[in-house]
Amino acid sequence: MRRGSIRTIMTAAATTVALTLGAGVANAAATPGAPGAGDVYFPDYGNGGYDVQHYDVRVRYQPATDQLSGTTTILARSTQDLSRFNLDFALDVSSVQVNNRAATFTREGDHELVVTPARQVPQGANLTVTVKYAGIPSQVEVNGYTGWSRTADGALAVNEPESAWWWFPSNDHPTDKATYDVSVLAPDDVQVISNGTLTSGPNPELKGWNRWYWRSAKPQATYLTYIAIGRYDIETDTAADGSPIINAFSTSLGDFEGAARAGINRTNEIIETEEQWFGTYPFEARGGVAAIPGAPGFALETQTRPVYDGRFWRRGGNTYVVAHENAHQWFGDSVSLTQWRDIWLNEGFASYAEWLWSEHEGEGTPQELFDYTYASYPADDPFWQVLPGDPGADKVFDSAVYDRGALTLQALRVQIGDDAFFELLPTWLQEHQYGNGTTDEFIALAEKISGQQLDDLFTTWLFTPERPDLTTGTTLAR
Ligand code: ARG
Ligand code: ZN
């Protein structure tokens, strides 16, 4: 789904019927959709030639064997005359249908599924693509790696940037966001959590098996779509706007359980605090999932409800990770990357949100945290060699992306003043809500709102492989 596409679809409904009926008329101009979405870091992630509106993912999962099987139905619209198109997927596929007709399919590399519809597809046509598949995701490696975490009592499909390949076929790039229905049939001794709201379930369906139906109703990037399967205590409450707060705590948290609850139970308070800086929370549900300690190995800002490795709660009173992951609901989830290269737009901003939360908690101020962070990396530290604005595909989660990204925002705030800075953040989020943004667009908006020329500041902080000099004044007037 691209920005504005919902309205286009509705008003173009009549035209679409005509185009769909015209499908199958041989079109010499029809060409294959591109095997990538144009990402400079990950050229084969995502695909071209179509735009997804909705995924309906319906799977069965057996924790005892890690067997996953199911059907994903993708509602999309062609953006060119298509002779064939790619999906990104790594499990074994048994059939593909396009608009109710069997399509032929082949594999290229380890995550490309090349689909050739029985009839060519004209530009602007509605596509209903149904893929049936099965596999053991923890055993399917792409580039020697699986992003699927099998646990003692279930599994987590939680990873960034690659996560979907192991459980549903997709256009796997944040430029093509869509809504989701995720339905999972699982043994009745485990729970299943996904994004958004539980529209139904757990419903007994087979002896010893329950089906869970989750729905995420706002545009969502593929990597932010998750399932957590295992033994969880699920607790629900209601936020002031009437939306559900759904928290899930692994029953294996052990000594971490108190700290996990102390952190995640403050999610709504943290979101309401962040709303003062970022504007209205953009989604229909909130909460957090405290996964089993050791999985997935990090925390991720899965849309509407972040997932936290149980080990995040090793220390008590850890609300910073909650502030970080929920700040991503605005920076990353509502406003998503156009290029993975611009990852500081996610991580720098979520890290800066921790500094704002710190001050709110009566702890260090952003300027104190700036000074401390700056001083903690000596000038010859390799930290300063990594450019937050272009870290390289193998360093998208380098500490420079997080810490120097946050340093950049404090430098910007000092340069343009609090009024402009706290106008810039919500304006950026409003202008790109449910869509995508780029670093260049952010810099242009910062210049427009501040009335200042900011090329020097951003070049110094995002794109220069050395420690910025705080005394020269071009970067930081204290
Ligand atoms: N976006 C996550 C965060 O908020 C980081 C995910 C790191 N992913 C990974 N595969 N290590 O920090
Ligand atoms: Zn982050």
Side-chain angles (χ1 to χ4, degrees):
M1 182 189 294
R2 298 201 162 98
R3 288 172 65 210
S5 61
I6 297 179
R7 186 166 302 121
T8 316
I9 293 156
M10 292 187 176
T11 55
T15 328
T16 302
V17 171
L19 286 169
T20 307
L21 292 173
V25 178
N27 179 348
T31 51
D39 196 275
V40 294
Y41 279 9
F42 305 110
D44 55 351
Y45 290 17
N47 303 290
Y50 63 95
D51 177 15
V52 179
Q53 277 79 52
H54 184 75
Y55 292 92
D56 188 290
V57 182
R58 186 178 171 97
V59 294
R60 175 175 185 168
Y61 184 68
Q62 172 54 271
T65 55
D66 193 39
Q67 269 170 321
L68 181 99
S69 58
T71 303
T72 289
T73 303
I74 300 170
L75 305 184
R77 161 176 279 247
S78 53
T79 56
Q80 66 179 64
D81 292 340
L82 277 175
S83 56
R84 57 179 167 88
F85 59 89
N86 284 27
L87 292 166
D88 301 298
F89 196 47
L91 301 187
D92 286 337
V93 171
S94 57
S95 75
V96 180
Q97 304 258 324
V98 177
N99 293 346
N100 296 307
R101 286 171 185 267
T104 55
F105 57 94
T106 54
R107 308 304 304 238
E108 270 175 21
D110 52 18
H111 69 267
E112 296 289 342
L113 176 67
V114 184
V115 176
T116 305
R119 300 174 169 212
Q120 292 186 343
V121 177
Q123 179 176 352
N126 285 337
L127 285 170
T128 302
V129 183
T130 306
V131 182
K132 283 194 161 65
Y133 51 94
I136 301 182
S138 64
Q139 291 177 7
V140 175
E141 295 197 339
V142 177
N143 295 325
Y145 171 80
T146 177
W148 177 270
S149 307
R150 192 179 177 193
T151 65
D153 61 0
L156 294 164
V158 176
N159 198 50
E160 180 185 10
E162 314 84 0
S163 170
W165 300 347
W166 293 279
W167 66 290
F168 67 96
S170 74
N171 188 17
D172 198 6
H173 194 270
T175 45
D176 193 2
K177 304 205 282 188
T179 55
Y180 284 82
D181 277 296
V182 172
S183 149
V184 180
L185 181 67
D188 62 8
D189 59 345
V190 295
Q191 283 66 46
V192 179
I193 304 113
S194 184
N195 311 82
T197 54
L198 184 68
T199 57
S200 183
N203 299 331
E205 190 174 293
L206 305 174
K207 185 169 160 45
W209 292 74
N210 286 333
R211 187 175 288 280
W212 302 67
Y213 294 88
W214 291 90
R215 172 167 296 164
S216 195
K218 298 283 194 232
Q220 177 169 292
T222 44
Y223 80 97
L224 297 169
T225 306
Y226 79 101
I227 39 178
I229 301 169
R231 294 199 182 87
Y232 288 91
D233 290 331
I234 299 179
E235 300 193 345
T236 63
D237 200 350
T238 306
D241 67 359
S243 67
I245 302 170
I246 304 174
N247 297 331
F249 300 95
S250 167
T251 59
S252 301
L253 283 163
D255 289 349
F256 305 142
E257 186 184 340
R261 289 179 186 270
I264 290 175
N265 286 349
R266 291 183 70 188
T267 296
N268 193 44
E269 173 203 354
I270 288 168
I271 286 174
E272 288 178 351
T273 304
E274 292 182 335
E275 285 184 312
Q276 297 167 26
W277 308 315
F278 307 150
T280 305
Y281 177 73
F283 298 122
E284 74 277 17
R286 358 185 139 194
V289 177
I292 194 169
F298 45 85
L300 189 68
E301 61 270 26
T302 41
Q303 191 157 304
T304 70
R305 191 171 304 106
V307 174
Y308 308 87
D309 189 314
R311 286 194 188 141
F312 258 104
W313 315 106
R314 238 189 240 118
R315 298 171 296 161
N318 189 359
T319 50
Y320 288 99
V321 68
V322 180
H324 180 108
E325 302 310 336
N326 282 288
H328 275 308
Q329 301 301 316
W330 286 266
F331 297 101
D333 296 11
S334 171
V335 181
S336 300
L337 300 177
T338 305
Q339 289 283 342
W340 281 107
R341 182 189 55 208
D342 294 344
I343 183 74
W344 86 283
L345 291 174
N346 291 4
E347 300 306 342
F349 287 67
S351 300
Y352 193 74
E354 294 182 57
W355 293 4
L356 293 170
W357 175 248
S358 170
E359 181 171 34
H360 176 84
E361 287 287 87
E363 300 183 358
T365 65
Q367 187 60 46
E368 287 175 316
L369 289 157
F370 174 98
D371 292 339
Y372 180 80
T373 305
Y374 181 91
S376 69
Y377 297 108
D380 61 355
D381 193 303
F383 172 87
W384 298 107
Q385 299 299 313
V386 178
L387 307 179
D390 191 2
D394 57 338
K395 291 201 165 65
V396 289
F397 301 116
D398 193 273
S399 59
V401 173
Y402 290 71
D403 290 355
R404 193 168 168 183
L407 290 168
T408 301
L409 289 170
Q410 178 64 11
L412 174 66
R413 177 176 169 183
V414 170
Q415 176 68 36
I416 67 177
D418 280 7
D419 287 354
F421 186 77
F422 287 104
E423 182 183 339
L424 171 60
L425 297 185
T427 304
W428 167 252
L429 293 163
Q430 197 58 47
E431 287 189 356
H432 297 269
Q433 187 173 49
Y434 307 133
N436 298 79
T438 66
T439 298
D440 286 346
E441 288 168 343
F442 181 76
I443 293 172
L445 185 65
E447 291 188 333
K448 183 176 156 197
I449 286 178
S450 68
Q452 294 186 30
Q453 220 292 343
L454 298 168
D455 281 349
D456 280 358
L457 182 141
F458 284 107
T459 299
T460 299
W461 283 95
L462 294 180
F463 298 108
T464 305
E466 60 188 42
R467 186 164 80 163
D469 184 347
L470 300 187
T471 59
T472 56
T474 49
T475 54
L476 239 200
R478 292 283 311 278

